[in-house]
Structure formats: structure tokens, C-alpha cells
Amino acid sequence: MARVFVYGTLKRGQPNHGVLRDRANGCAAFRGRGRTLEPYPLVIAGEHNIPWLLNLPGQGQRVLGEIYAVDERMLSFLDEFEGCPNMYQRTPLRITVLEWEGARGASEETPAADGTLQCFVYSTVTYAPEWVHLPHHDDYDSQGGHGLRYNPRENR
């Protein structure tokens, strides 16, 4: 099982969360909530108001999200779903664990002594230069006060 940190439309209560629950895509088990150890710019951009984590460590804010344990089939599905490697790139990041519901006693799923875990995250280095200047968010909600409603894939 691999750990994946999701910060956008894949979180619970967000438009694409259903793909994590769909067993046809593989297995994904919620393990907890966390925040990126380093700040990153989380912006909402493009004609469909997609949340993007720009791979610019040290800029932006420490981003909140959810941690999932996923099997190889789900990881492959997510790579395709996220347009990896052209749209997003799957990279390992250190995540500070805020709440943990993971299985106790399983060393591969237990946060380190410093309260962090290494997780895969879908971030991007392929973005329009002006995106760096967009507002940076620390917690994405498709219905948030930013007023930028996500346009689901089925409506495009």
C-alpha cells in the first residue's frame, strides 16, 4: 500500500471523492488529515477552476488535506485520473499528521516520531507563469468563499 495526500477535489465532500470510494478503481482507505510540512502555492486556475499544487516548495502556505492508503491499482488509476505525468506529477512529500485513524501497529502506516509521513502528492511543474501570482489557499473547498466553482469533468 502507498500513501497519497489529497488536497483538492478528491477530498471527502468534494466533487471527485467518489473515485476513491469506487472499488472498481482499486482500494483507498482514509488514514487521517495532514498538512504539507513545507509551504506550497495551492491555486485555483484554468477554465474549469481546478485546484493545483504548484511544485514550488517554500512559497505559498502549508496546505491541508487527507491521507489515504491506496493499493497499486488505485495508484495507477489516480495517475491516469490526474493526467500524470503531463498535467500533474506524482512526487513524494513530507506531511505533518494532524489527525490519525490509521491501523495501529502497522509500521508502514504509523507516523514518524516527529509526527510526519512521506506521502505521494499530485503537484505540477507544468503551469502558466501567471498562476504563481494567483491567491494561495491553505484548504481547498469547491464551494468555498473564493467563488471559483469547480467545473466537473462530466460537464466539460
Side-chain angles (χ1 to χ4, degrees):
M1 299 287 275
R3 288 185 299 267
V4 175
F5 176 77
V6 300
Y7 56 83
T9 65
L10 291 171
K11 293 189 310 184
R12 293 180 294 184
Q14 298 304 309
N16 291 324
H17 181 69
V19 303
L20 290 176
R21 292 192 332 257
D22 187 343
R23 299 289 293 191
N25 300 329
C27 179
F30 177 79
R31 291 296 184 237
R33 294 182 62 249
R35 182 185 297 274
T36 58
L37 183 61
E38 291 186 77
Y40 285 85
L42 171 58
V43 301
I44 302 169
E47 66 178 308
H48 302 295
N49 294 322
I50 296 171
W52 300 85
L53 189 71
L54 307 184
N55 195 345
L56 293 169
Q59 298 183 36
Q61 301 185 48
R62 294 181 62 217
V63 176
L64 288 163
E66 298 173 349
I67 301 163
Y68 288 83
V70 301
D71 66 6
E72 194 60 40
R73 191 168 80 199
M74 179 62 78
L75 194 59
S76 294
F77 170 83
L78 290 173
D79 282 351
E80 184 177 325
F81 185 81
E82 298 290 10
C84 188
N86 298 324
M87 223 168 99
Y88 291 93
Q89 296 79 48
R90 177 169 37 104
T91 56
L93 285 187
R94 296 298 300 171
I95 303 299
T96 301
V97 176
L98 302 175
E99 297 173 16
W100 187 246
E101 296 179 11
R104 298 287 177 206
S107 62
E108 70 277 2
E109 290 197 19
T110 304
D114 65 357
T116 66
L117 283 172
Q118 183 158 300
C119 299
F120 287 122
V121 65
Y122 291 91
S123 62
T124 188
V125 295
T126 53
Y127 53 87
E130 60 270 16
W131 289 8
V132 174
H133 305 292
L134 292 172
H136 298 169
H137 303 273
D138 71 337
D139 190 12
Y140 176 79
D141 183 341
S142 63
Q143 301 294 315
H146 49 70
L148 301 169
R149 298 292 178 255
Y150 175 74
N151 183 23
R153 292 170 184 229
E154 58 270 16
N155 295 343
R156 298 180 198 166

